[in-house]
Structure formats: structure tokens, C-alpha cells
Amino acid sequence: MAGRRAMTACLALLLFLVAAAAGVGCTTVSYSDRGLVINGERRIILSGSIHYPRSTPEMWPDLIKKAKEGGLDAIETYVFWNGHEPHRRQYNFAGNYDVVRFFKEIQNAGMYAILRIGPYICGEWNYGGLPAWLRDIPGMQFRLHNKPFENEMETFTTLIINKMKDAKMFAGQGGPIILAQIENEYGNIMGGLNNNESASEYIHWCADMANKQNVGVPWIMCQQDDDVPHNVVNTCNGFYCHDWFPNRTGIPKIWTENWTGWFKAWDKPDFHRSAEDIAFAVAMFFQKRGSLQNYYMYHGGTNFGRSSGGPYITTSYDYDAPLDEYGNLRQPKYGHLKELHSVLKSMEKILVHGAYVDKNHGVNVTVTKYTLGSNSACFVNNRFDNKDVNVTLDGITHFLPAWSVSILPDCKTVAFNSAKIKTQTSVMVKKPASSAKLKWSWMPENLKPFMTDERGSFRKSELLEQIATATDQSDYLWYRTSLYHKGKGRYKLYVNTTGHELYAFVNGKLVGQRHSANGDFVFQLESPAELYHGKNYISLLSATVGLKNYGPLFEKMPAGIVGGPVKLLNAAKGTEIDLSHSSWSYKAGLAGEFRQVHLDKPSSEWHSHNGTIPINRPFTWYKTTFQAPAGEDTVVVDLLGLNKGVAWVNGNNLGRYWPTYTAAEMGGCHRCDYRGEFQAEGDGQKCLTGCGEPAQRFYHVPRSFLRAGEPNKLILFEEAGGDPSEVGLRTVAAGAICASAEPGDAVTLSCGQHGKTMSSVDVASFGVARGQCGAYEGGCESKAALKAFAAACVGKESCTVPVTAAFAGAGCASGVLTVQATC
């Protein structure tokens, strides 16, 4: 036996060495006009964006697993320059910025990856991902042809690529990365840069610099339809890309961003893009020779810390994605797209090799037939947004609802129609984690050091721009000055600012505060100011709420009280004191930030006063403890009652909160129809929820932030003055789950989480008249169906029940059966 084992071991080693010599495990990637060519085979690729800093390392394996189970081949992510290099040449690759670990998780799941370096990314990320310290470098011009910017960009790009090479993450090394991107949506803004020659030189320099890196996979540029460098593949972003084609022959049709919803600002409601419309867009894309499609986002996640851009983009980056902010399945979107992916993959060979013919059947109806040998596959689309149609193929008539695509893998039988959802709908509910009220202690923010102009970082006889002055290391910048006044005087303090928020103090007293309306970041603060005889102090605290991340020359959008003017006006006497060119003392940040109050160090002095705390008091810290909710359900903290500030759990920054900011009433809140083009801006908005409600009241607490069996600390910095008495922890999980099907189909129901079972089947009716999942009304109840589903589903995590005509019985007309269960 010992000899046989030795021979087996030697043979295994020999095979390993032969395989290694032959390059087994390494993947070659090229392309043709019909698709990516991976290891010599043409492929269609289904991908989804998951941004590693918007979740936690503990979440990554589950998110990637669900993406794979949803039928995706690849994960796409940006790389976040200002997160990785917050200070020049000081790098951060720890925690949720461990980008190599993220790509290894993708590799472990057996999926491909798409690396979007940028390093400008937009992404509704603070400053578009560019570090604010770039502005300190002499001669710097962002995203134009100049050595200061190009040197920094190349240094960072090379750093990321070398990290990936060292970890063997590129396909040619046996890793998952099959595409890499340089720059981002540059074509959208080239015309607005006022320097066409420099812009053109820059984008061609980007392509040359990227290709010099020798990564072994193709480089792409999205939204670069004009002035495209010859050595990159240009790609499409948008809600629809079926009518878009690359700028030259021989390259594949790639859709880098299929927007599954839209980002949310503090003054906006929630945007919802229907599963039917997304499926319609994807099916149309592959009908018209698409080769790679990526969902932006597949999981949006959370803008932890100060990472949200805008200005005024919320902490939640849910994006109405197939996986919600917390990583739960958003049904029916997730399941409907999964069914589409399965059908498309079954047709992969004929889509990338087959001959094709497009034939119009009247206006807005097109049949595309792919043929390969004796096999054929068909797409039929109906682009009417208000009219169903019948289309006859080879003697068989097919019904197409308005704004839908039918896919027939054999040109005879419809395997998928984008408007017919057969997967379940899940209604997610938030339940209190405990009935006990939280007990709070508090601490005032120490403002005293900032109430004079005597202790600052530096002085300047002008009003400076905030981003360049504070290098975005804090939301806050203090502007402080003093003046001598003879006798007492009553004035109006007038401040003109381009900041997002402003607080004004006169002689240590808060005399005024105001924030800008979103989109109009120039406003004036007018507050009463009473001066004493002698020396008086003016302290102005300017605050930002995320920096602009998109547009031509976006980095030049100012913040803070740059230029002012700042004046003291005496209307009675018709006089004014202009302070704009006084000696101003500057200091970035708050005392609590420097002291790291959020870490609750032993030196922290909290007050309890037998449980009584001050409320509606600006610049106040609050602390409480709580037990981690049992189970695996998502945990969120409900911050209703607070005004504006920041929340931490066990030292982890959950992000900015602002529940007093109410989402605007918009026309799209009162209508929702999947038919017709989806728009997130302009007059065509639809399918909005949350109008007139707090823009965001729930904030994600990842399970990895919590400690089981011991107290967890929730610390709040309440900037504007709020009441934490109603703050509480909640869990999020599926409540009602519903599905509809016709006889001959099968209904599958699932609570979507291991260990969670269905407690009841509540509805089994034909022809439900109205309502929605969780609140159906009307219809013809089927006792036979109710009995069958109760027997198969109650007490189970999931169940599948065939729908038969017998369920209709004597009293109901056979048709669509709707089933509702409770998890």
C-alpha cells in the first residue's frame, strides 16, 4: 500500500507540473464583434455591480453567492481612490477597503470580475472618488492633459494594478478579472471642459497609460462615443442600450451600467424601476447583438461614514437593486431577472455564433431570428407602451403585452416574457427588536475653543474656500474673527455663502443657522447680532453634506464662505461693518472629532441625571447601549425624532443621518406603470414612493458591527438639535410573500432566509380584484388551493406547488391564481 501511495503521489505531482507548464488555470480574454472571447470561446456575460466599501467584508461572500445564484457570471466594481489614499501616499486597504480580499471572494465563488479603476468614478461618491488633497498640488487641473494630475493618476492606477498582479487576480494569471476600465463617462463632459485639445490629449493619454500596464485583458471606456482611443473598447451606460452600438467594427456591444433604479438625495423620494422594465431592457439588448450586460447596481449598499457625494446624497445607496441595501433578495426583481438569465444562457451559443435577421411587423414590433445550423431562436418585442399585440410566427400566434419582449429559444414556445412575472413578491417588514426603551446619557460638544479667534490652524485676511482649506478631512470648517466696538450695538449679521449649512455665533451665542436648498448652494444667512463695548467675536461654522461628484469641472464648485461678504448691518443708522477682509482664523473639524468621542474612551464624561437628557439642543452627543437582536435578520436603527448628525455603533460610522429632511411631493409618487421608458429626472418620473415622508429614517447596522451577549454602544452626534427618546433598533425580514400563476405553472414560495419558515397561507384566490401583496382584496377564494398550499408550505422555508385547473373548482373561473403566505 505504501508503494502504491508513493506512486500515486508522484503521478499527481507530475500531472501538476505538466499542467502548470501548460498554463492550466490561466484564462485568455479577447473579443470579437459578437462578444468576449474567453479561452477561445465566444461568451455572453451577465454581470452586476457590488461596491466593496458600501458593504462589509463579512457581507461579501453572501452577496457574491446570491449574485451567482441569480444567474450572474461576473461582479463589477469601481476602485475608490479617496478611500484608499485619504492622505497623499498614506494608503488604506483595511476592512471594507480590502479590495484584494474582495476580488479573492469573487474568485472563490468561481465568478469573473470587472475592475473599474477610473480613478475618477462618479458613483454618487464623495468628490467622485478623487482625493481633495489633489488641490494642494501646484498646477493641478483635474481630468485634463497636465503632468500634476496625470502623475498622480498614473501612480494610483499603477498601485492598484500591481496589487492585483501580486495577488494574481488578472485572468492571465488565473484570476477572475476579465476586463479593466480606465477613466469614467468622460465623453459626457468633454464638451464642457472648455479645452477640447487638452481633453482629447488627456483621454488618449489615459488609454496609452492603461495599456502600458500590461494587464493581459482588454481595457474599456464607458460613455466615450466620440474621440475614442484606438486601443480601448467603448461601452454604454443608461436605462436602455439596445439601440447603441460601439463606434467601430470588430468590438463587442457592452453595457457597463444598466441602472436598476436611481440614487436618492435627502430631498427626494425613493425611485423604483420595475422588474418588467429592466427585463424588457435586457432582453432588447441581447436581441440586438448585446454581448455583456452589467446591472448598476446589483447591490447598492450603504454610504458609510462621509462617503456619500452629491451634495445631499443620502446614506442609503439602496438603488432599488435586486439585492436591497442590506443584502436581502428584492423580489420579484431578483427572481424575474434570474429566470431571464437562465433563458439567455440556454441560448448563448446561437446568440454569439448564429446568423440573425431583424424583421419589423408593423410599427414598434420586431422579430429577430438567430439561426445556427438546424437550430433557431427568436426574440419578439412590442415597444408600444399602451397596446398589446399578437404576432404570428410559423403559423403560431403569440400574445405580447405592451412594452414587453418574448424569448422563444426554439422560435415556437415562449420561455420568457419580460412583462409576465412568475416569481414571488416579498414584502419586507421592520419589527421592533425590543419593547424596552433605550436609556440615554449625553455630553455637550465643546464649542468654547471655537468661540474666539485666538486658537486656529492659521490666519488669513480673506474668506477662503472650504474644500481646499480643510482638504475634506471633516464636514466642518470654522471661520473666526474679532472686532472692537465702541459701546453696545444691535446689528444684523449678514453672511453670503456657498456652503451647504451655516451656523453663526456672536460672542459665544448661537444666533442663527440655515442650510441650503438642494441644487442651489448659494444662500444668505441673516441673524441678529448684539455687540458689546470692547472686543467681540464672530464664529461661523460652515458644513458640507457630501461633495459634488459629477459634471464638467465639478471639482471647481466651491463650498464654504469663500469671498463672502460677511457684514454687520445697522439698518437704523444706515451703516455697515464689512468683515470680509478682516483677519480670519481657520480650524477644520469639531472638538469631539479630535477627541474621538464616538470611541467612548475612558476619559469621556457622560451625564445621565437619572435618565433625563436635554433635547432639541444643538451640538450634543448622546450614548446608549443595547443587546444585539437574536437571529440573522438585518438590523437597522430607527432615528426618527433626531434632526441631523452622525451615528456610530461600537465605533463604526453608520453615516450621516437627517430624518427631519422631508422628501418632496412629486408627480411620480401618484402613478406607477412599467410600460414606457423609465426616467429618474425630468418630467417623465414615475413609480416613486415616500413623498412627504422623512427622506431616510432607518440606518443599516451590519451584523459584523455587533457583539452578541454583551452591550453594544450607539453614539449619536446631534448637530442641529433633536430628541433621541424614540430611537430604537429594528429587524428587517420578509413578512408577506405572494405569487401568481396560471394552471400548468408551479408556484414557488420562500421566506428567503435559512431557518425562517412560513407560519400561514392567507390567500389563495382566482381573480384578485385589488390591493397588493400583504393586503389583497376581492377575488374568488379557492378552498382546494388554500388547503394544498397550507399542507405544502406551512412550517417550511420554501415550497413549490403545481397549479391545476382543479383548484378553480365549481365556483371560480379558471385564470390566474394568487397566493399569499406569511413568514
Side-chain angles (χ1 to χ4, degrees):
M1 290 293 293
R4 186 175 299 175
R5 282 199 298 267
M7 290 177 60
T8 302
C10 290
L11 180 60
L13 176 62
L14 179 62
L15 290 173
F16 171 79
L17 293 173
V18 171
V24 172
C26 300
T27 302
T28 62
V29 184
S30 59
Y31 54 81
S32 72
D33 61 337
R34 295 292 290 275
L36 287 185
V37 179
I38 299 178
N39 286 335
E41 296 288 336
R42 291 182 186 175
R43 297 288 308 278
I44 63 170
I45 299 294
L46 297 164
S47 176
S49 291
I50 299 175
H51 293 162
Y52 52 95
R54 285 175 159 143
S55 53
T56 65
E58 293 77 10
M59 294 171 65
W60 295 342
D62 183 62
L63 295 173
I64 294 166
K65 176 174 177 284
K66 287 173 178 173
K68 185 174 184 179
E69 290 173 349
L72 299 191
D73 307 295
I75 302 297
E76 179 188 277
T77 185
Y78 285 132
V79 175
F80 299 79
W81 187 0
N82 54 11
H84 289 298
E85 194 174 1
H87 304 276
R88 193 179 188 196
R89 306 301 182 263
Q90 296 179 30
Y91 299 109
N92 173 27
F93 289 94
N96 62 342
Y97 285 96
D98 190 345
V99 62
V100 171
R101 177 177 171 180
F102 180 72
F103 277 88
K104 285 183 176 178
E105 295 288 359
I106 297 171
Q107 183 179 37
N108 292 340
M111 298 184 74
Y112 296 125
I114 300 172
L115 175 70
R116 302 179 75 187
I117 296 178
Y120 163 76
I121 61 169
C122 180
E124 292 72 57
W125 190 261
N126 194 50
Y127 225 33
L130 299 180
W133 53 257
L134 289 171
R135 295 179 58 160
D136 295 337
I137 299 174
M140 175 64 64
Q141 291 180 290
F142 285 27
R143 302 175 77 196
L144 284 169
H145 187 50
N146 64 102
K147 282 192 176 298
F149 185 77
E150 290 172 351
N151 286 344
E152 294 300 321
M153 177 177 170
E154 183 170 12
T155 297
F156 179 73
T157 300
T158 303
L159 172 75
I160 295 299
I161 287 174
N162 285 343
K163 278 188 169 294
M164 293 298 160
K165 284 182 176 179
D166 290 345
K168 294 182 169 47
M169 287 291 105
F170 287 102
Q173 301 175 293
I177 300 172
I178 57 172
L179 289 175
Q181 178 181 305
I182 196 70
E183 248 298 338
N184 190 56
E185 298 184 331
Y186 195 68
N188 291 356
I189 57 99
M190 283 183 73
L193 294 175
N194 304 319
N195 194 333
N196 292 339
E197 182 179 355
S198 181
S200 179
E201 289 176 332
Y202 166 71
I203 200 63
H204 284 267
W205 171 88
C206 288
D208 291 340
M209 181 271 289
N211 277 278
K212 283 194 304 183
Q213 301 285 343
N214 295 319
V215 298
V217 300
W219 284 94
I220 61 175
M221 281 186 178
C222 67
Q223 297 294 87
Q224 191 65 34
D225 290 342
D226 298 316
D227 197 8
V228 186
H230 69 91
N231 47 1
V232 298
V233 174
N234 65 312
T235 71
C236 182
N237 292 352
F239 290 115
Y240 308 94
C241 282
H242 51 271
D243 286 333
W244 176 92
F245 284 88
N247 70 314
R248 65 178 187 268
T249 59
I251 64 176
K253 179 173 174 174
I254 294 177
W255 190 359
T256 32
E257 293 188 13
N258 175 4
W259 301 326
T260 56
W262 201 241
F263 63 89
K264 179 182 167 98
W266 290 111
D267 63 334
K268 296 294 191 297
D270 297 295
F271 294 83
H272 301 281
R273 188 181 180 199
S274 69
E276 296 97 326
D277 183 59
I278 299 176
F280 170 82
V282 174
M284 286 280 287
F285 179 73
F286 285 102
Q287 178 175 358
K288 299 191 75 172
R289 268 69 72 195
S291 60
L292 184 153
Q293 186 270 161
N294 176 76
Y295 296 105
Y296 187 101
M297 299 292 295
Y298 199 75
H299 169 257
T302 305
N303 291 316
F304 295 112
R306 301 176 54 251
S307 61
S308 63
Y312 285 27
I313 289 172
T314 57
T315 296
S316 171
Y317 197 66
D318 179 85
Y319 223 89
D320 202 42
L323 301 179
D324 70 15
E325 178 183 358
Y326 320 119
N328 298 314
L329 305 186
R330 172 168 276 116
Q331 297 284 27
K333 186 173 286 189
Y334 175 91
H336 192 49
L337 295 176
K338 178 179 180 178
E339 292 181 1
L340 170 60
H341 303 155
S342 177
V343 173
L344 290 171
K345 281 297 184 180
S346 74
M347 303 160 58
E348 181 177 37
K349 191 170 183 179
I350 198 169
L351 290 179
V352 297
H353 290 285
Y356 55 87
V357 176
D358 298 318
K359 183 177 181 181
N360 292 328
H361 286 233
V363 179
N364 286 337
V365 178
T366 303
V367 174
T368 300
K369 185 173 186 178
Y370 286 84
T371 304
L372 183 64
S374 60
N375 298 317
S376 60
C378 292
F379 293 80
V380 188
N381 68 56
N382 175 9
R383 302 185 302 282
F384 284 107
D385 61 10
N386 59 358
K387 186 170 72 173
D388 303 334
V389 299
N390 290 304
V391 176
T392 301
L393 296 178
D394 297 329
I396 303 173
T397 299
H398 304 278
F399 170 76
L400 266 79
W403 203 254
S404 76
V405 180
S406 283
I407 304 177
L408 299 79
D410 58 359
C411 287
K412 296 177 182 178
T413 305
V414 175
F416 182 87
N417 177 270
S418 61
K420 295 182 178 181
I421 293 180
K422 297 181 179 180
T423 194
Q424 76 176 39
T425 295
S426 299
V427 177
M428 306 303 290
V429 296
K430 297 179 176 70
K431 300 178 180 179
S434 171
S435 59
K437 284 211 165 193
L438 296 172
K439 296 180 180 179
W440 295 90
S441 54
W442 70 284
M443 179 193 307
E445 166 66 17
N446 184 14
L447 297 173
K448 188 175 180 180
F450 306 101
M451 293 300 102
T452 72
D453 64 342
E454 295 163 1
R455 293 167 58 189
S457 299
F458 64 92
R459 304 186 75 90
K460 200 81 171 178
S461 295
E462 60 180 311
L463 291 160
L464 300 177
E465 196 276 331
Q466 180 169 348
I467 304 170
T469 303
T471 59
D472 194 37
Q473 299 305 307
S474 169
D475 281 355
Y476 304 101
L477 178 66
W478 288 97
Y479 296 72
R480 296 169 295 158
T481 192
S482 59
L483 72 155
Y484 284 90
H485 189 266
K486 187 175 181 179
K488 291 184 178 181
R490 294 181 181 276
Y491 291 85
K492 180 184 290 183
L493 175 63
Y494 173 91
V495 183
N496 183 74
T497 179
T498 58
H500 309 156
E501 295 182 282
L502 186 65
Y503 293 85
F505 300 82
V506 176
N507 293 323
K509 180 182 178 181
L510 179 63
V511 297
Q513 63 185 93
R514 186 179 173 187
H515 69 263
S516 172
N518 190 7
D520 183 20
F521 299 105
V522 176
F523 68 97
Q524 296 75 42
L525 177 72
E526 296 183 3
S527 303
E530 184 174 344
L531 301 187
Y532 307 139
H533 176 73
K535 193 172 186 178
N536 293 262
Y537 296 99
I538 309 292
S539 297
L540 304 174
L541 180 62
S542 177
T544 55
V545 190
L547 302 184
K548 192 169 176 62
N549 55 263
Y550 182 73
L553 306 174
F554 77 88
E555 73 282 358
K556 296 195 174 192
M557 178 179 174
I561 317 171
V562 52
V566 176
K567 299 179 179 181
L568 290 165
L569 307 175
N570 188 320
K573 295 182 179 181
T575 61
E576 68 175 43
I577 304 172
D578 193 336
L579 302 173
S580 304
H581 297 286
S582 296
S583 177
W584 289 90
S585 172
Y586 290 90
K587 185 70 174 178
L590 299 173
E593 290 180 295
F594 293 112
R595 291 170 50 213
Q596 297 182 308
V597 171
H598 66 279
L599 296 179
D600 193 25
K601 296 179 178 179
S603 58
S604 299
E605 296 182 3
W606 296 94
H607 311 293
S608 60
H609 300 312
N610 297 318
T612 302
I613 58 170
I615 62 172
N616 301 322
R617 183 186 189 279
F619 303 103
T620 303
W621 295 81
Y622 297 100
K623 181 181 78 167
T624 190
T625 60
F626 63 94
Q627 292 294 324
E632 300 178 4
D633 290 345
T634 296
V635 179
V636 297
V637 58
D638 182 355
L639 297 183
L640 195 66
L642 294 174
N643 193 330
K644 180 184 178 294
V646 184
W648 292 264
V649 168
N650 295 330
N652 298 286
N653 194 325
L654 304 185
R656 300 183 185 98
Y657 65 77
W658 204 351
T660 54
Y661 211 132
T662 301
E665 287 285 351
M666 300 171 67
C669 269
H670 308 294
R671 61 188 182 89
C672 189
D673 188 338
Y674 74 84
R675 299 174 300 177
E677 289 193 359
F678 181 84
Q679 295 185 52
E681 298 174 312
D683 297 330
Q685 295 174 344
K686 57 183 178 179
C687 296
L688 305 177
T689 61
C691 289
E693 299 176 6
Q696 186 181 347
R697 63 179 281 191
F698 300 104
Y699 297 80
H700 186 203
V701 185
R703 283 280 177 176
S704 60
F705 288 2
L706 299 174
R707 298 189 288 259
E710 59 181 292
N712 294 273
K713 294 179 184 177
L714 169 62
I715 293 179
L716 310 172
F717 171 61
E718 177 51 63
E719 168 199 305
D723 181 359
S725 61
E726 296 303 317
V727 168
L729 279 295
R730 295 177 180 260
T731 57
V732 184
I737 56 175
C738 308
S740 298
E742 299 174 346
D745 292 331
V747 169
T748 297
L749 298 173
S750 172
C751 288
Q753 183 177 311
H754 178 69
K756 189 168 288 292
T757 62
M758 283 167 269
S759 60
S760 63
V761 177
D762 311 305
V763 175
S765 296
F766 285 92
V768 168
R770 56 190 176 276
Q772 56 189 3
C773 186
Y776 283 126
E777 298 178 19
C780 182
E781 182 182 340
S782 170
K783 292 182 179 180
L786 193 66
K787 182 179 179 181
F789 275 91
C793 302
V794 173
K796 305 289 181 58
E797 293 181 15
S798 63
C799 60
T800 300
V801 179
V803 177
T804 68
F807 282 170
C812 297
S814 181
V816 176
L817 175 71
T818 297
V819 181
Q820 175 182 304
T822 299
C823 288

